[in-house]
Amino acid sequence: MEERQKELLKIIVESYIKTCKPVGSKSLCDALELSSATIRNEMAVLENLGYLEKCHVSSGRIPSEKGYKYYVDNLMKPKELTGEDVLKLQTIFRNNDLELSDTINRCVEIISDITNYTSIVLGKKSEDNYLQQVSIVPLPENKIVAVVCTNRGIVENKQFNIPSTISIEELVKTSEIINKMLIGTPINEVSERLEFDIKPIISKKIKQYETVYNIFHDAFDDFVEQSTNVHFGGKTKIFDQPEYNNINEIKRLANKFEDDNFIRNIEENKDGVNIYIGDENEFDSNVTVVKSTYNVNGEKGTIAIIGPKRMEYDKVVGLLSYITQNLESHGDK
């Protein structure tokens, strides 16, 4: 792409982000000091290259996903936070009475206030959670509750329907074996040890050991999944954007916000601030998701900002970078 085309693309992307209106050639003449005809020719080139799209309702163009991606990777510079925004966040970071989770949750709410997009944190409980006890609580009508406790006082339970051929005594006996052998095991390693250490033992002592094994395996898997805390900031703010003025589109996205499987797709594993535009993200093709990870004193998680593809990328990247850097330095105190 030639330098003039890069400059043109940058102006079109930033204009469309600001106004949500297709950009015509006449509006760019002064900024580029070029004739309308020259600009139209360059816009046609960018359209042929896939960076712009023709809008059916006017002669103007709008950025394509490819155009946004090129802008983010090559033309955009993160925007510095305003003094007011810095003050809001530093008030949170300097509050030593707040638990880490509360600090992050408040940051997520401030992100939403500043950007007018939806923000979310997926925070994993500290890795130093070790199995302290697993218990079986019998219920009427062939039901039981498996209760899992950790050394940090975290308790999760899951209810199961059990076949009439399985006795409570067999489940209790299995729980006793697990407690004897796996106490002190990191909670995220319990499922693996169930398979390799516990299953061979119960296969010799319990008739339907596969069914019994599956009950405990599901209970621990569920515990690990539930150990991800989810907190939204401005959950409905994305719907204030003009891209989402259709009631069916609002319902479709709102349903995804309530679906754990979609929310877990937001989790990030790569370092730094990462941008996923449209089809690049696994959450929804009609949004952009900007994500960053944090690791503070062993507690890991993902902070994400969800907005339209017409997102203020420079502002969002600057904000997310500032927060993750300050969170990690906050943890060093």
Side-chain angles (χ1 to χ4, degrees):
M1 191 185 298
E2 296 178 0
E3 287 304 314
R4 188 164 71 183
Q5 292 164 352
K6 291 179 183 179
E7 185 180 3
L8 176 60
L9 178 61
K10 183 175 186 292
I11 291 174
I12 291 174
V13 170
E14 291 177 351
S15 175
Y16 186 65
I17 286 171
K18 185 177 181 180
T19 67
C20 196
K21 293 180 180 179
V23 182
S25 58
K26 290 182 180 179
S27 66
L28 302 174
C29 292
D30 290 341
L32 293 169
E33 298 182 346
L34 297 170
S35 69
S36 179
T38 300
I39 294 173
R40 280 198 301 272
N41 289 336
E42 295 287 30
M43 290 172 86
V45 172
L46 289 172
E47 185 178 352
N48 289 333
L49 291 172
Y51 296 110
L52 297 179
E53 295 176 347
K54 187 76 159 49
C55 187
H56 297 297
V57 296
S58 75
S59 60
R61 265 76 164 189
I62 64 173
S64 64
E65 285 189 16
K66 183 179 178 181
Y68 283 123
K69 184 65 177 172
Y70 188 90
Y71 169 78
V72 165
D73 291 343
N74 301 282
L75 307 175
M76 180 204 75
K77 293 182 179 179
K79 184 182 288 186
E80 290 187 10
L81 273 64
T82 66
E84 182 182 356
D85 293 341
V86 168
L87 182 60
K88 288 178 183 176
L89 291 166
Q90 284 299 328
T91 300
I92 303 300
F93 292 129
R94 291 170 181 166
N95 189 341
N96 295 322
D97 293 332
L98 290 177
E99 295 287 338
L100 175 63
S101 60
D102 293 328
T103 297
I104 296 172
N105 289 346
R106 291 197 186 184
C107 284
V108 163
E109 290 161 5
I110 290 174
I111 288 173
S112 189
D113 288 338
I114 292 173
T115 62
N116 285 317
Y117 305 138
T118 295
S119 54
I120 183 172
V121 57
L122 289 83
K124 289 187 175 296
K125 294 185 175 73
S126 178
E127 291 183 342
D128 56 353
N129 267 295
Y130 300 93
L131 179 65
Q132 181 168 300
Q133 186 177 19
V134 58
S135 306
I136 297 297
V137 180
L139 299 174
E141 301 177 354
N142 289 333
K143 295 180 181 178
I144 59 105
V145 171
V147 182
V148 178
C149 307
T150 76
N151 64 307
R152 294 174 67 88
I154 298 171
V155 180
E156 298 283 354
N157 59 76
K158 186 172 183 179
Q159 183 172 304
F160 295 90
N161 293 312
I162 61 172
S164 57
T165 53
I166 300 292
S167 70
I168 295 296
E169 287 73 18
E170 288 179 320
L171 292 168
V172 171
K173 183 187 296 185
T174 302
S175 71
E176 290 172 349
I177 293 170
I178 292 171
N179 286 331
K180 183 177 180 180
M181 295 186 63
L182 302 188
I183 294 296
T185 301
I187 200 70
N188 59 346
E189 296 177 14
V190 170
S191 292
E192 184 177 359
R193 289 199 59 190
L194 273 179
E195 182 174 359
F196 294 106
D197 296 347
I198 303 300
K199 193 174 182 180
I201 294 174
I202 65 173
S203 67
K204 300 173 183 178
K205 298 185 177 183
I206 294 174
K207 292 180 181 179
Q208 295 194 42
Y209 70 93
E210 284 281 1
T211 303
V212 172
Y213 163 79
N214 287 333
I215 288 174
F216 285 96
H217 188 274
D218 289 349
F220 284 110
D221 270 3
D222 193 60
F223 183 96
V224 172
E225 286 187 6
Q226 293 301 322
S227 68
T228 300
N229 296 320
V230 177
H231 181 81
F232 281 92
K235 196 171 189 178
T236 62
K237 282 202 172 183
I238 188 173
F239 303 132
D240 294 334
Q241 302 296 324
E243 286 86 344
Y244 311 107
N245 58 4
N246 180 288
I247 188 64
N248 292 326
E249 180 70 358
I250 291 173
K251 286 181 179 178
R252 188 181 66 80
L253 274 178
N255 286 336
K256 287 193 173 184
F257 284 145
E258 301 300 328
D259 189 318
D260 286 346
N261 292 324
F262 283 112
I263 294 302
R264 293 187 199 288
N265 284 337
I266 294 174
E267 191 170 6
E268 182 62 59
N269 296 312
K270 295 195 297 184
D271 293 335
V273 176
N274 301 291
I275 300 172
Y276 303 92
I277 302 169
D279 289 330
E280 291 180 331
N281 74 74
E282 297 181 3
F283 180 72
D284 189 89
S285 62
N286 200 28
V287 304
T288 285
V289 183
V290 183
K291 301 187 279 189
S292 182
T293 59
Y294 64 85
N295 185 347
V296 183
N297 298 332
E299 297 207 25
K300 299 179 181 180
T302 300
I303 298 175
I305 301 175
I306 305 169
K309 288 180 278 188
R310 184 191 54 83
M311 176 187 277
E312 290 185 86
Y313 292 98
D314 53 357
K315 184 176 184 178
V316 168
V317 171
L319 180 60
L320 207 48
S321 298
Y322 180 86
I323 287 174
T324 51
Q325 288 169 9
N326 275 269
L327 276 177
E328 291 177 2
S329 61
H330 182 70
D332 294 334
K333 295 178 181 178

